[in-house]
Amino acid sequence: PEGGGAMTVAVVGGNLEISQDGVLLERVPATSAGPLTLLGSAATDDLFVIDFSNGNPILSGITIDGGLGGFDSVRVIGKGQVATYRPDASVDGKGSIQIGSSVIHFVNLEPIDISGLSSLKVVLPGAADIVDIRNGFDLTGAGTTPAIVISGTTGGIGFERIAVWNTTTLSVDTSAVEGDDRISLGDLSNAGIANFILDTGSGSDLVGLVGSIDLPGDLTLLTSADLRQSAGTTLIVGGVTRIDA
């Protein structure tokens, strides 16, 4: 957005609308819209909101460049879709989010908020991943919405922090390239997340349960790791608990 601010891409009344801070910039029939490209302003704080509440606003995909400098972020508002988030293997601030058959490609971004999905899978592309997963709050709004926040590095490259809430199943997969992963699981409680899955694959991994987990659904930990639970932490799971370690 020129001058910074929030740019929203959404379907309204069957049309694709692009607005900045509530001011309509563009309106076209949603089904005829081609690939979109959004550019942020250099050295300003840009927020890009992709809203699926009333339909898919990016049928042909979208590329987002936050620009150099500033604090640039993406907020994805889903409505029951299946999504996959893949950070880039070699460039911090770059990656993709696939939602159904549509893809958000991004570069020069910092945090990401995602909500309202049926499932989100975070796939880390590097080896020797160092990941922290714990309760927190949204990263692109007022910072008051409870969420599960995922941060760290993959193959030595930082990836964008992501906050997730109101999503039925959240999974984190570090098995794409085998290495010695180090995963820290802090307090994990609802935030609208029913099920949590961690898959670290093989390798001399270490998974530390440093907080308490309280989920209404299923907990699945698939790992060849040394699994260590800190004193005083608890596991409360309403569904099935599967730990392969």
Side-chain angles (χ1 to χ4, degrees):
E2 185 173 350
M7 180 171 285
T8 300
V9 181
V11 174
V12 179
N15 292 314
L16 168 66
E17 292 191 353
I18 301 174
S19 59
Q20 181 176 351
D21 295 328
V23 177
L24 182 65
L25 302 178
E26 187 76 28
R27 176 188 287 140
V28 297
T31 55
S32 64
L36 301 175
T37 299
L38 301 182
L39 302 176
S41 297
T44 62
D45 296 342
D46 303 307
L47 170 62
F48 302 91
V49 181
I50 313 300
D51 189 347
F52 286 79
S53 298
N54 297 311
N56 186 347
I58 55 166
L59 287 170
S60 300
I62 187 170
T63 298
I64 299 173
D65 185 344
L68 299 178
F71 186 77
D72 306 315
S73 53
V74 168
R75 181 186 304 155
V76 177
I77 302 171
K79 192 175 182 181
Q81 294 89 353
V82 174
T84 302
Y85 164 46
R86 289 182 173 88
D88 190 79
S90 57
V91 179
D92 193 355
K94 182 180 180 181
S96 67
I97 304 168
Q98 180 165 348
I99 303 178
S101 60
S102 300
V103 181
I104 302 169
H105 295 283
F106 61 84
V107 67
N108 293 321
L109 290 181
E110 284 80 42
I112 299 168
D113 278 345
I114 297 185
S115 63
L117 300 174
S118 64
S119 71
L120 173 66
K121 186 174 186 178
V122 179
V123 179
L124 300 181
D129 301 307
I130 301 175
V131 185
D132 183 83
I133 308 167
R134 65 182 63 235
N135 285 347
F137 297 93
D138 67 280
L139 301 171
T140 71
T144 57
T145 301
I148 291 178
V149 178
I150 304 169
S151 60
T153 62
T154 178
I157 303 297
F159 62 86
E160 300 68 54
R161 288 180 301 153
I162 180 170
V164 186
W165 66 93
N166 289 348
T167 292
T168 305
T169 299
L170 172 62
S171 61
V172 178
D173 187 346
T174 68
S175 68
V177 179
E178 299 297 354
D180 298 340
D181 301 328
R182 298 291 181 265
I183 313 297
S184 177
L185 293 178
D187 290 332
L188 299 183
S189 55
N190 198 341
I193 307 295
N195 312 301
F196 177 75
I197 302 169
L198 174 66
D199 184 355
T200 70
S202 59
S204 299
D205 303 327
L206 172 62
V207 176
L209 302 178
V210 298
S212 295
I213 296 177
D214 186 351
L215 297 172
D218 300 336
L219 171 66
T220 304
L221 303 178
L222 306 175
T223 178
S224 61
D226 181 3
L227 185 62
R228 301 178 185 178
Q229 183 172 359
S230 298
T233 62
T234 59
L235 299 180
I236 302 175
V237 179
V240 176
T241 299
R242 177 186 173 187
I243 301 177
D244 292 349

